[in-house]
Amino acid sequence: VMGIATLFYIFGRERAVRDHVEMERRQKLEDQARDLRVQATRDPLTGLYNRLKFDEALATEIARSTRHKTPFSLVLYDVDHFKAVNDTHGHQIGDRILVEVSRLVSARIRNIDLLARWGGEEFVILLGGCDGQTAYQVAEHLRAAIEEGAFADVGSVSCSFGVAPYADGDDVETILARADAALYRAKINGRNRVELAPLPTAASTRAAVERA
């Protein structure tokens, strides 16, 4: 009886060890998969969503808006004279500015808004439920906050903003083109300002796409 009990104990202990090892292995694989998903959707410098994730979210929002007739807007912005920051202070300081601007903006938008790094010093925000005028006010609030901020090693920084509300018939390409055209106007009109894209006509939509 003692021998049988000992065998059951040994087998049970071995099974418990195997189950524990298997559980640790499965947890490690799940953690690795989660890390890969994060890396696939996040910008490594700022920690914001990347362009791939933003494109997916924008396509989803366009489909939702088309189906339910709900408004949304895009805000496209970049750091003014960023090349001069890199040339004067170095790329390490430039990267730090991008991180600080990202944190400042992230703290001033809603949890449901999606902020992504579009590329280089350019960023984009998807504002669900916001028409053009509301999005313009949000962008102006962000512009002022950045202008009033203090940035290490540089002092002051400004950003230019282009705002584009969704219009019937927009797709990913057209609404981004209108936001980019509005940002371009903000640049040529003096920088550190917000420009609102008008609702498109067929001709203006084609022109914006061609310019982009």
Side-chain angles (χ1 to χ4, degrees):
V1 172
M2 289 293 294
I4 293 173
T6 300
L7 288 175
F8 274 118
Y9 173 79
I10 292 173
F11 291 151
R13 184 176 178 83
E14 288 179 350
R15 176 64 180 272
V17 170
R18 286 198 302 272
D19 288 347
H20 180 71
V21 171
E22 179 64 23
M23 184 180 300
E24 286 188 337
R25 187 181 71 84
R26 187 163 55 247
Q27 184 63 51
K28 184 176 181 180
L29 290 174
E30 290 175 356
D31 291 344
Q32 289 174 343
R34 185 163 49 250
D35 289 343
L36 289 173
R37 286 195 298 271
V38 169
Q39 291 173 24
T41 59
R42 294 283 179 173
D43 171 59
L45 175 63
T46 62
L48 301 178
Y49 286 118
N50 59 21
R51 187 165 181 167
L52 175 62
K53 173 66 175 180
F54 184 84
D55 284 345
E56 293 175 353
L58 177 56
T60 299
E61 191 65 28
I62 289 174
R64 181 184 298 115
S65 185
T66 301
R67 184 167 58 252
H68 300 295
K69 304 303 180 184
T70 54
F72 77 90
S73 296
L74 294 188
V75 176
L76 188 64
Y77 68 96
D78 70 5
V79 180
D80 294 328
H81 303 295
F82 187 69
K83 183 178 184 302
V85 172
N86 280 334
D87 291 345
T88 302
H89 302 281
H91 288 275
Q92 185 174 2
I93 299 301
D95 286 349
R96 187 184 305 167
I97 295 301
L98 296 180
V99 172
E100 291 181 15
V101 169
S102 300
R103 290 173 178 170
L104 187 153
V105 171
S106 295
R108 287 166 174 77
I109 59 177
R110 304 169 300 177
N111 290 335
I112 64 171
D113 299 327
L114 192 148
L115 170 62
R117 187 180 181 190
W118 190 243
E121 70 273 23
E122 202 166 40
F123 300 84
V124 63
I125 312 172
L126 175 58
L127 298 175
C130 290
D131 60 17
Q133 287 298 326
T134 302
Y136 179 92
Q137 294 171 8
V138 171
E140 178 58 31
H141 170 70
L142 296 174
R143 184 206 62 77
I146 294 169
E147 181 184 32
E148 295 166 2
F151 298 88
D153 300 305
V154 175
S156 61
V157 167
S158 69
C159 289
S160 299
F161 292 77
V163 178
Y166 173 75
D168 287 341
D170 262 334
D171 56 24
V172 170
E173 186 180 47
T174 57
I175 191 172
L176 282 167
R178 291 194 295 113
D180 187 62
L183 174 58
Y184 178 73
R185 286 198 303 276
K187 291 290 189 182
I188 65 175
N189 287 334
R191 294 184 169 86
N192 190 25
R193 60 183 292 120
V194 180
E195 291 285 345
L196 175 62
L199 291 175
T201 63
S204 65
T205 299
R206 285 195 301 270
V209 170
E210 290 171 1
R211 182 164 52 248

